[in-house]
Amino acid sequence: MDSPRKATRIQREKREIILAAALDAFSEDGLRGATLEKIAEKAGMSKPHVVYYFGSKDAIYTELLQSLLDVWVQPLRDLSEDADPLAAILTYMRRKLRMSQDMPRESKMFATEILHGAPRMRPQLSGELKALVDEKAALIAGWSAEGKIARVDPHHLIFSIWAMTQHYADFDIQVEAVLGEERKPGLYDEADAFLTEFFVRALRP
Amino acid sequence: MDSPRKATRIQREKREIILAAALDAFSEDGLRGATLEKIAEKAGMSKPHVVYYFGSKDAIYTELLQSLLDVWVQPLRDLSEDADPLAAILTYMRRKLRMSQDMPRESKMFATEILHGAPRMRPQLSGELKALVDEKAALIAGWSAEGKIARVDPHHLIFSIWAMTQHYADFDIQVEAVLGEERKPGLYDEADAFLTEFFVRALRP
DNA sequence: ACAATTTTTGACCAAATGGACAGAAAAACA
DNA sequence: TGTTTTTCTGTCCATTTGGTCAAAAATTGT
């Protein structure tokens, strides 16, 4: 456990189980609200056992956050030249929307962290993330300048995609409460249709 | 304090001070993360004094939330028939954006509460709020049907306004990190310009 | 000025919680 | 099989924290 030789199968498995349980707990109650005991219970093991594998609650939280970050920005990484720039942006938006649908817990964890000042992500936000966004913003700005899409501020366009797609995961309770139970099943199809049409209208030259 | 006669001036003032301090604390750290001691410190009084006025931390939190709800939905209440439907929607969007700019702490408090399941707001979300949104959605649907604005799902349109405007308050740390310090001063002007253009393009018939 | 009421706080308490520790159980290795 | 290493847990501890309580200080009313 200490000297990082080879992680045994059992070690990887247990760590996975704990991380899954922790994601559950953290997304529900936040770092402060989630307790080691609850995580241990969800993971089906004792509290000291959880500490044995990660050292502290904070360490679990931080590791989860870091490992999720890569997954989270992958769709943006994949945004690139395409037959049709508008289609590329729509694909990006759709992938983000799908991530909201498939990974609401991850979305909520990030949202909570950033909402509270992102104390353990600041460097990455203004470092890697800023660099990535700047790069893709330049790409979009190019399309914009060439008249392939409408003239828009690319940074704010990216923010709008983040905002609108993550809204459905982060504030799902509100969305479902306002729409009513009966519209819940087709919710993400509705959102997809709305957002697609919306961005097409807003972005086509 | 017990029998609710007339609240003296001093009582109202102290309660105001405590609520302001609590808003500060809750928006920074959430319900769980904010401590009575920190609230008391920010309010410049002792911990038991805070309890004396509100009974419990939870009570402060709940009262804050309830009293803010009215303010929060007022812009939507004010959405009504207008010379120009599109202008009416833009005005609504702008008011929401201004609220994000002027009341980021309130925005964060709501966001955190909803993110964590809105345990003490559910009834209002599916009650009053749903009713209000349904009413305004019908109004927008009317405009849409008459061809005064583009055909859009009015509920999702409202969500998109919530999402995009509140994003700037709730995730300000991320927005500022990605844009860089130098774009911070004119941020809300940029956002206003972007969103206005964006919604105009998306909504005009 | 004096009594009654309200406001304010220091001291204290009980519950919750993150984590330490020693040793049991199990697994790996010889 | 015996030994060593890893995995696992019961028990305990220190800290944090929401809240109580008695009494002091200030205010109000007469």
Side-chain angles (χ1 to χ4, degrees), chain A:
Chain A
M1 216 43 266
D2 276 340
S3 47
R5 295 182 190 172
K6 52 186 175 185
T8 77
R9 178 185 51 84
I10 227 174
Q11 280 170 354
R12 274 196 309 274
E13 282 178 4
K14 292 289 178 181
R15 286 177 66 93
E16 279 311 305
I17 291 174
I18 292 172
L19 286 175
L23 174 60
D24 235 51
F26 288 139
S27 67
E28 280 172 18
D29 301 319
L31 171 57
R32 285 262 165 70
T35 70
L36 270 176
E37 198 155 353
K38 196 168 228 165
I39 295 172
E41 190 192 326
K42 281 176 191 276
M45 54 189 78
S46 70
K47 198 170 64 170
H49 198 189
V50 173
V51 176
Y52 170 72
Y53 273 108
F54 284 90
S56 72
K57 186 173 82 165
D58 226 84
I60 307 176
Y61 184 80
T62 302
E63 176 153 340
L64 252 186
L65 219 52
Q66 298 302 330
S67 70
L68 289 177
L69 191 55
D70 278 339
V71 180
W72 213 242
V73 299
Q74 194 55 47
L76 185 55
R77 283 215 180 82
D78 295 344
L79 178 69
S80 62
E81 297 286 351
D82 196 287
D84 180 9
L86 179 53
I89 294 173
L90 288 180
T91 297
Y92 171 56
M93 181 276 287
R94 277 210 178 88
R95 281 189 65 185
K96 287 293 290 177
L97 183 61
R98 180 160 294 262
M99 284 180 69
S100 279
Q101 183 174 17
D102 295 342
M103 299 190 264
R105 293 172 311 172
E106 287 84 343
S107 187
K108 285 178 183 179
M109 230 191 105
F110 275 121
T112 305
E113 173 70 9
I114 293 170
L115 212 45
H116 291 0
R120 55 211 92 206
M121 283 178 51
R122 286 269 197 128
Q124 276 123 342
L125 294 185
S126 48
E128 305 166 28
L129 182 61
K130 175 174 168 42
L132 177 63
V133 172
D134 283 345
E135 177 199 330
K136 299 305 180 181
L139 178 64
I140 294 172
W143 293 336
S144 206
E146 295 166 21
K148 292 179 177 170
I149 61 169
R151 293 197 167 279
V152 288
D153 180 307
H155 284 92
H156 288 275
L157 174 61
I158 291 172
F159 293 155
S160 74
I161 293 173
W162 290 351
M164 291 172 81
T165 56
Q166 289 173 14
H167 188 86
Y168 289 98
D170 299 343
F171 306 126
D172 55 356
I173 268 84
Q174 190 182 43
V175 168
E176 286 162 18
V178 165
L179 283 184
E181 203 64 27
E182 67 280 7
R183 280 178 78 172
K184 192 172 164 186
L187 176 59
Y188 274 93
D189 287 335
E190 285 184 14
D192 187 295
F194 171 82
L195 291 177
T196 301
E197 177 69 12
F198 203 74
F199 277 101
V200 166
R201 293 185 61 97
L203 288 180
R204 77 182 149 205

Side-chain angles (χ1 to χ4, degrees), chain B residues 104-202:
Chain B
R105 294 172 310 172
E106 286 84 343
S107 187
K108 285 178 181 178
M109 228 189 109
F110 275 120
T112 305
E113 172 70 8
I114 292 169
L115 212 42
H116 292 359
R120 53 210 91 204
M121 284 177 52
R122 286 268 198 127
Q124 278 138 80
L125 294 186
S126 47
E128 305 168 29
L129 182 61
K130 176 173 166 42
L132 176 63
V133 172
D134 283 346
E135 177 199 329
K136 300 304 180 181
L139 177 63
I140 294 172
W143 292 335
S144 206
E146 294 165 21
K148 292 180 178 170
I149 60 169
R151 292 198 168 278
V152 288
D153 181 308
H155 285 92
H156 288 275
L157 174 62
I158 290 171
F159 293 154
S160 74
I161 292 172
W162 289 352
M164 292 172 81
T165 55
Q166 289 174 14
H167 187 86
Y168 289 97
D170 298 343
F171 306 127
D172 54 357
I173 267 84
Q174 190 182 44
V175 168
E176 287 162 18
V178 167
L179 284 184
E181 204 63 27
E182 68 280 7
R183 279 178 78 173
K184 192 172 162 185
L187 176 60
Y188 274 93
D189 287 335
E190 286 184 15
D192 186 295
F194 171 82
L195 291 177
T196 300
E197 177 69 13
F198 203 74
F199 277 102
V200 165
R201 294 185 59 98

